[in-house]
Amino acid sequence: MSAETSAKTTADASAGGIGEHDPRALAAEAVGTLVLVFFAVGSAVLAGEFIGTLGIALTFGFALLGLAYVLGPISGAQFNPAVTLGMLLSGRMTPKAACWYWLAQVVGAIVGAALLFLVAHQVPGIRTGEAFGSNGYGHRSAVGLSIAGSFVAEVMLTALLVFVYLSVARRITLGSLDGLPIGLTLAAVSLVGIPLTGASVNPARSIAPALFAGGDALIQLWLFVLAPLVGAAIAVLVHRFTHAEPHAWFADIPWLSSKLNGKGGHRGKGSGETSGASR
């Protein structure tokens, strides 16, 4: 590693950012998403009838809380493509870094779901076909929520989660106490969303179980990928109006940033070429 690259990575870390090619951050995202899917989705698949909606929601929240403390200083403990999109649109990540995050999250989620699938098949009576902790609307919703209602619910629930991430994160990474509001928020949105849609708010969390559930879980998957991404974009917009944001809109997409920010479109680049670190 050259002295210039080393200095740039050190600057990113000190400003609460990550190096664009930091393998530790990608490993943290893959491992964290794997653990979140195995334990949190696993609580619904393996223990749902014993712990109920409250227990499942708390498992999601507690799992993210613990992972945020351990991995938050390394990668930001996003474990969610919607959160990563929020970081990208707010100018805190480059498109290249976001793509690597998305890949790590989806791969981690699939591995976690595969391990859960293996365990579930060792338990007599566990149904995995078209179920397996996957999300759904209509006849696959516990309350029969329509497709339109499900879309709006997922958008709003995800917007809240991403808004909290944007508000507490130090550019990208998390401090020692930042995991608490994030974990509590995931527990809250899960508590509301589980009876409605199974509470996706995370495309990686939805994709992985659906691949193993098959059937209608795959047919309905599009909603649980699209709606959380829309919710993330809305969260970025709202955050712009409620918080002082040192990063320019789409700071690492110059042609788009210049159109939306005018002369200020270069601000996100000025303090860190690789990751747009805040001043």
Side-chain angles (χ1 to χ4, degrees):
M1 179 182 293
S2 67
E4 181 181 355
T5 302
S6 178
K8 189 175 294 183
T9 302
T10 301
D12 286 344
S14 64
I18 58 163
E20 188 165 307
H21 303 289
D22 186 353
R24 294 186 311 137
L26 299 180
E29 285 297 300
V31 170
T33 313
L34 183 159
V35 171
L36 186 66
V37 168
F38 182 83
F39 285 96
V41 177
S43 69
V45 174
L46 302 174
E49 65 177 298
F50 303 104
I51 62 177
T53 298
L54 177 60
I56 297 170
L58 290 178
T59 303
F60 271 94
F62 288 158
L64 182 58
L65 174 59
L67 290 168
Y69 275 101
V70 175
L71 301 176
I74 301 173
S75 70
Q78 297 174 22
F79 316 138
N80 184 339
V83 175
T84 301
L85 179 64
M87 296 294 178
L88 171 64
L89 298 183
S90 64
R92 304 187 191 191
M93 296 182 76
T94 66
K96 187 173 183 179
C99 287
W100 279 111
Y101 260 50
W102 288 328
L103 178 62
Q105 290 159 358
V106 172
V107 169
I110 292 174
V111 174
L115 293 173
L116 177 59
F117 190 76
L118 177 63
V119 173
H121 271 267
Q122 310 309 309
V123 181
I126 292 285
R127 175 180 170 230
T128 57
E130 298 195 25
F132 196 57
S134 58
N135 305 109
Y137 55 81
H139 70 280
R140 301 189 70 249
S141 163
V143 298
L145 190 63
S146 69
I147 184 173
S150 297
F151 192 92
V152 172
E154 286 292 330
V155 166
M156 294 301 295
L157 294 173
T158 309
L160 175 59
L161 180 63
V162 175
F163 182 81
V164 172
Y165 263 97
L166 293 173
S167 300
V168 304
R170 298 178 300 174
R171 212 189 72 77
I172 292 177
T173 58
L174 301 177
S176 58
L177 297 178
D178 296 339
L180 185 59
I182 289 173
L184 291 176
T185 301
L186 181 59
V189 300
S190 297
L191 190 59
V192 173
I194 286 172
L196 303 179
T197 62
S200 169
V201 304
N202 182 339
R205 170 260 181 272
S206 296
I207 291 170
L211 291 177
F212 292 90
D216 286 346
L218 279 174
I219 293 173
Q220 297 185 357
L221 178 61
W222 67 270
L223 186 147
F224 303 102
V225 173
L226 179 60
L229 298 180
V230 173
I234 291 174
V236 173
L237 180 64
V238 173
H239 190 266
R240 281 279 166 175
F241 291 105
T242 60
H243 290 69
E245 178 60 75
H247 316 291
W249 291 94
F250 308 101
D252 293 291
I253 310 177
W255 65 270
L256 185 55
S257 181
S258 63
K259 290 181 181 295
L260 294 176
N261 299 292
K263 294 181 179 180
H266 65 282
R267 287 182 299 163
K269 289 279 188 179
S271 56
E273 182 179 350
T274 298
S275 58
S278 61
R279 299 177 185 176

